Amino acid sequence: PKPFLDDINRPRSGPPTHRCSHELKCVKCKEGLPVIVIRAGDAFCRDCFRAFYIHKFRAVLGKNRLIFPGEKVLLAWSGGPSSSSMVWQVLEGLSRDSAKRLRFVPGVVYVDEGAACGQSWKDRARTLADVKSILQTTGFPWHIVALEEVFALPPSVLRCSAQEPVGTIGTYKVAVDSFLQQQHTLVAEGVGGSPNSTPGEEQLSQPCTQDPQDLAGPPPADQTEALSRLFDSVKTLTAKEELLQTLRTHLILHMARTHGYSKVMTGDSCTRLAIKLMTGLALGRGAFLAWDTGFSDERHGSVVVVRPMREHTLKEVAFYNRLFAVPSVFTPAIDTKAPEKASIHRLMEGFLLRLQAQFPSTVSTVYRTSEKLVKAPRDGCASGPRCLLCMCLLDVDTADSATAFGAQTQDCSQMQSPTPPAEAPTVPCCSTEVGRAQNCAQAQLCSHREDSRACVIEQLCYSCRVNMKDVPSLDPLPPYILAEAQLRSQRYGLATWLGECWRGPSRHWPPWGRVPRVWLPPGPRRRSRSIWWRAVTMTCTPAGAEPGCPRSRRARMGRQHVIV
Amino acid sequence: MAAPLSVEVEFGGGAELLFDGIKKHQVTLPGREEPWDIRNLLVWIKKNLLKERPELFIQGDSVRPGILVLVNDADWELLEGAPWPGDPAAFHSLCLSLNTE
């Protein structure tokens, strides 16, 4: 396919000059006065635009058939235009006539990130008051959490919980039919009030629930300070944005698991996902783009993240919100008013929006490309160690030093922060003269700190490692991250020790490094690839370390018993 | 010679951050020889209303890519060619550097 050549328009510095507005009619109904131009020249009138917009939302949900009737879905609302539009669409969708209405049970969560952006509690309280009033009008159960609560998260949030088997289309249909039948039965038995009410609706009509930690007052000052310290210590805006996103995801995940939500909906629009795709490539997340930008993201196990707004461009969202008065709350973000070259995210956004202004098919082309990305597991293994932070399957093989990629990742893992002892304000520098014993203790502390940093770094994927380069000290990180890193390291240490007891010493550490991740050249010929593959594995794996060769199922099962 | 024009100009989507946080402005444009146009309006806004960071709003003689221009709640692209009769204009920012998602 030649997407760029197909609908390339002549570059223009302003709107095209060949139309007179009074002659223009809506392309759909041919009658109404157009208000918006979508794509490359389709003018829609107000009503047709509204129908088009709503239809797109329902179609995306219906096409993917991931959200089952009666399922609890958490809507992640940032206050921005796209997520506000999403919440509004859900609200409208639930109130329609019974044949077409949405059938899941929503809740809304808002994360207050003011501390990371350096806002005062007064400003945050003002924003929160607006947020609360909007949440109350939706009528959904709502939760407001401050980002500071990451300091109280348990390490279990980083563990991929047991994945439920993905339903097939047949399962979905069966679920829908049984749900409708249940509804009819309820109505027939005279239970549950009006014919349109569902078991879910009773929850909705309850007064809005709130977390036990009510946000009547500010979060604990030490947590706010810890969060500010963390973000101030990060050197670049790119790393700050990535870290913020990671922490926010963990927090929302925890909320979803605690309150029994099995799905999380985020309001990422088409434009936003196109920018995310390009940014992901620049940040080294190429292996995970399908999860980062696809409709569904199942890497967290029991909680699946879906993106129903992924076919709406920001322009359509902005127009819809304005024409139909969708409430939203402006919240300054960590990069508000940042200049264009401040971070990779801003740079990509500027690049794509500029290109889009001249070639209106840019965003949709990038989006169509992202749709083609496949979530095939590497080397045929669907399960394996996951990155500590982003929870994607690890794409790093420290044993593969022959390639440039391997050499780079080794550099990352061995990279220490420039001056670990001197930076920490609370710990006296190694050059203190207080006493030898103390010096000894400090030296031990320094080496311990380096060890714990290495212990965390080696459990990260490539892009998270690159991010951590801009975080000079891992101490300000929330404790759940460090605790989980320790736990995993100990667990694999035990596994290796047991493995050594069984088989003798192994040259490879960590054990997941044994699975060779060899980049196969692109090409359709399976036979030649397998011959090449066998040649490579025979030359580079040492005798005795066997992973590339096909192993008997029994041998593989035996190894799995060792990993606790 | 066009007479002074009183128009309502609105900023949204985070663009109001560049204008002291005020969303709606009622402005009076001075008279000039040719009739007022959106481009001239932009130049005037840059000189008189824009408080900071012009590069986040204007690029050259047009708006920065990522800023929507609406005239009377309709897309600017529908208007072009036809003169701007002084209808309320709005500038809505789509840029994530001025707002969250």
Side-chain angles (χ1 to χ4, degrees):
Chain A
K2 30 191 210 310
F4 279 102
L5 297 177
D6 266 343
D7 38 10
I8 206 168
N9 281 339
R10 71 208 178 295
R12 48 180 209 234
S13 56
T17 51
H18 59 273
R19 289 194 296 248
C20 285
S21 56
H22 60 269
E23 284 180 3
L24 209 52
K25 292 281 180 238
C26 170
V27 300
K28 195 141 180 251
C29 64
K30 312 281 192 281
E31 289 171 1
L33 206 60
V35 294
I36 178 177
V37 177
I38 297 176
R39 296 187 286 249
D42 291 341
F44 278 67
C45 69
R46 189 190 155 102
D47 296 325
C48 291
F49 171 59
R50 184 184 192 164
F52 164 78
Y53 190 91
I54 295 179
H55 167 77
K56 257 210 286 208
F57 184 80
R58 311 299 297 278
V60 163
L61 287 180
K63 186 167 63 172
N64 287 283
R65 299 194 172 190
L66 278 184
I67 301 183
F68 282 56
E71 202 172 357
K72 282 182 80 173
V73 176
L74 186 62
L75 309 176
W77 183 53
S78 68
S82 307
S83 47
S84 305
S85 200
M86 176 184 75
V87 171
W88 216 249
Q89 289 297 309
V90 169
L91 187 62
E92 286 201 345
L94 283 169
S95 63
R96 283 190 163 212
D97 58 84
S98 55
K100 295 181 198 165
R101 59 202 287 228
L102 298 175
R103 296 187 185 98
F104 54 85
V105 178
V108 188
V109 65
Y110 174 81
V111 179
D112 170 27
E113 296 168 6
C117 308
Q119 274 194 303
S120 66
W121 173 248
K122 211 170 67 156
D123 292 332
R124 289 167 68 185
R126 217 173 337 159
T127 313
L128 285 178
D130 292 337
V131 163
K132 249 186 238 188
S133 68
I134 295 180
L135 287 176
Q136 274 159 354
T137 55
T138 61
F140 298 148
W142 49 269
H143 315 269
I144 296 183
V145 279
L147 192 63
E148 285 91 324
E149 289 182 37
V150 290
F151 287 96
L153 284 180
S156 58
V157 77
L158 294 174
R159 284 170 218 153
C160 178
S161 41
Q163 207 160 356
E164 280 158 27
V166 175
T168 58
I169 292 178
T171 326
Y172 181 80
K173 235 184 138 345
V174 163
V176 169
D177 290 340
S178 79
F179 180 82
L180 289 172
Q181 221 171 27
Q182 198 184 42
Q183 245 186 307
H184 289 319
T185 323
L186 282 173
V187 167
E189 289 173 4
V191 173
S194 79
N196 281 342
S197 80
T198 67
E201 266 208 13
E202 277 132 36
Q203 287 182 35
L204 294 183
S205 57
Q206 276 165 19
C208 306
T209 57
Q210 176 59 300
D211 273 319
Q213 303 134 311
D214 195 0
L215 276 178
D222 57 336
Q223 284 185 348
T224 308
E225 203 194 297
L227 197 65
S228 310
R229 200 170 44 229
L230 170 62
F231 278 91
D232 288 338
S233 73
V234 179
K235 291 196 279 196
T236 59
L237 187 59
T238 307
K240 272 190 220 200
E241 290 195 50
E242 288 292 299
L243 184 63
L244 181 62
Q245 202 166 323
T246 308
L247 294 179
R248 184 200 299 143
T249 308
H250 293 167
L251 193 55
I252 292 180
L253 215 55
H254 178 72
M255 288 298 302
R257 284 191 184 136
T258 323
H259 295 267
Y261 293 98
S262 50
K263 298 269 184 323
V264 172
M265 274 194 186
T266 62
D268 294 315
S269 61
C270 182
T271 317
R272 171 77 156 134
L273 288 176
I275 296 171
K276 197 168 186 190
L277 186 132
M278 303 292 282
T279 311
L281 284 171
L283 292 173
R285 294 193 63 81
F288 313 131
L289 288 179
W291 286 272
D292 284 347
T293 59
F295 172 74
S296 68
D297 182 357
E298 317 87 5
R299 66 182 112 153
H300 307 290
S302 57
V303 177
V304 178
V305 178
V306 294
R307 303 181 177 102
M309 299 295 290
R310 68 190 300 257
E311 297 196 5
H312 297 82
T313 62
L314 270 180
K315 179 175 178 181
E316 292 165 20
V317 168
F319 256 97
Y320 186 90
N321 288 1
R322 196 187 159 80
L323 290 177
F324 301 102
V326 173
S328 60
V329 176
F330 174 73
T331 42
I334 205 166
D335 53 0
T336 297
K337 290 202 259 182
E340 192 165 289
K341 293 187 186 165
S343 72
I344 294 180
H345 305 76
R346 291 287 71 75
L347 203 59
M348 279 305 176
E349 177 196 316
F351 169 66
L352 273 181
L353 289 178
R354 262 201 309 276
L355 206 58
Q356 172 76 9
Q358 293 189 342
F359 302 97
S361 57
T362 302
V363 164
S364 62
T365 303
V366 176
Y367 165 74
R368 274 203 304 276
T369 310
S370 80
E371 273 190 319
K372 294 177 185 158
L373 294 171
V374 168
K375 293 175 190 166
R378 289 192 66 192
D379 304 339
C381 53
S383 69
R386 289 178 174 262
C387 173
L388 186 69
L389 290 179
C390 67
M391 289 177 260
C392 290
L393 283 172
L394 278 186
D395 59 345
V396 179
D397 177 26
T398 51
D400 181 19
S401 57
T403 62
F405 177 70
Q408 263 201 327
T409 50
Q410 276 191 338
D411 271 346
C412 282
S413 64
Q414 286 162 12
M415 201 222 86
Q416 302 298 330
S417 67
T419 50
E423 272 182 12
T426 51
V427 176
C429 183
C430 279
S431 58
T432 187
E433 290 161 354
V434 174
R436 257 207 204 164
Q438 198 161 6
N439 276 347
C440 230
Q442 288 317 320
Q444 276 179 11
L445 191 67
C446 290
S447 70
H448 169 73
R449 189 172 286 128
E450 287 169 18
D451 281 341
S452 66
R453 186 186 174 90
C455 151
V456 171
I457 297 284
E458 71 189 3
Q459 296 185 45
L460 299 180
C461 66
Y462 175 71
S463 69
C464 292
R465 289 185 188 197
V466 170
N467 259 347
M468 284 298 134
K469 270 191 190 176
D470 291 333
V471 182
S473 162
L474 297 187
D475 290 338
L477 281 178
Y480 73 97
I481 296 178
L482 303 167
E484 180 66 11
Q486 274 277 327
L487 191 68
R488 287 190 194 183
S489 179
Q490 283 166 3
R491 194 184 292 154
Y492 280 115
L494 176 67
T496 311
W497 179 77
L498 289 175
E500 282 175 8
C501 291
W502 280 23
R503 272 189 242 90
S506 151
R507 274 202 269 152
H508 297 283
W509 170 258
W512 55 77
R514 282 188 215 161
V515 179
R517 312 250 182 214
V518 180
W519 179 78
L520 295 177
R525 300 208 172 268
R526 259 192 240 155
R527 229 180 103 222
S528 59
R529 275 170 90 194
S530 71
I531 292 171
W532 188 88
W533 160 257
R534 260 183 261 138
V536 165
T537 51
M538 271 164 33
T539 49
C540 50
T541 46
E546 59 317 289
C549 303
R551 307 184 58 198
S552 69
R553 195 183 133 92
R554 192 150 164 236
R556 270 184 277 134
M557 286 302 292
R559 181 164 156 232
Q560 277 186 5
H561 281 157
V562 172
I563 311 283
V564 173
Chain B
M1 171 86 181
L5 205 53
S6 174
V7 284
E8 192 186 290
V9 177
E10 196 183 328
F11 300 100
E16 67 272 18
L17 279 186
L18 306 175
F19 296 90
D20 271 346
I22 306 170
K23 290 200 172 176
K24 292 203 178 161
H25 299 250
Q26 188 74 30
V27 297
T28 309
L29 305 173
R32 60 197 296 270
E33 293 84 31
E34 300 99 21
W36 276 95
D37 186 4
I38 293 284
R39 290 181 195 278
N40 309 127
L41 174 66
L42 278 174
V43 173
W44 187 90
I45 287 177
K46 180 178 178 181
K47 254 195 287 196
N48 298 286
L49 279 185
L50 195 54
K51 294 286 181 278
E52 55 180 320
R53 312 296 301 280
E55 75 277 7
L56 287 181
F57 189 72
I58 295 208
Q59 190 173 291
D61 68 340
S62 182
V63 280
R64 179 186 173 213
I67 307 264
L68 279 183
V69 183
L70 292 92
V71 174
N72 230 358
D73 275 355
D75 204 340
W76 181 31
E77 290 183 24
L78 294 167
L79 180 68
E80 80 295 333
W84 173 54
D87 289 338
F91 298 91
H92 197 94
S93 166
L94 303 175
C95 301
L96 297 164
S97 59
L98 288 173
N99 199 352
T100 52
E101 183 54 30

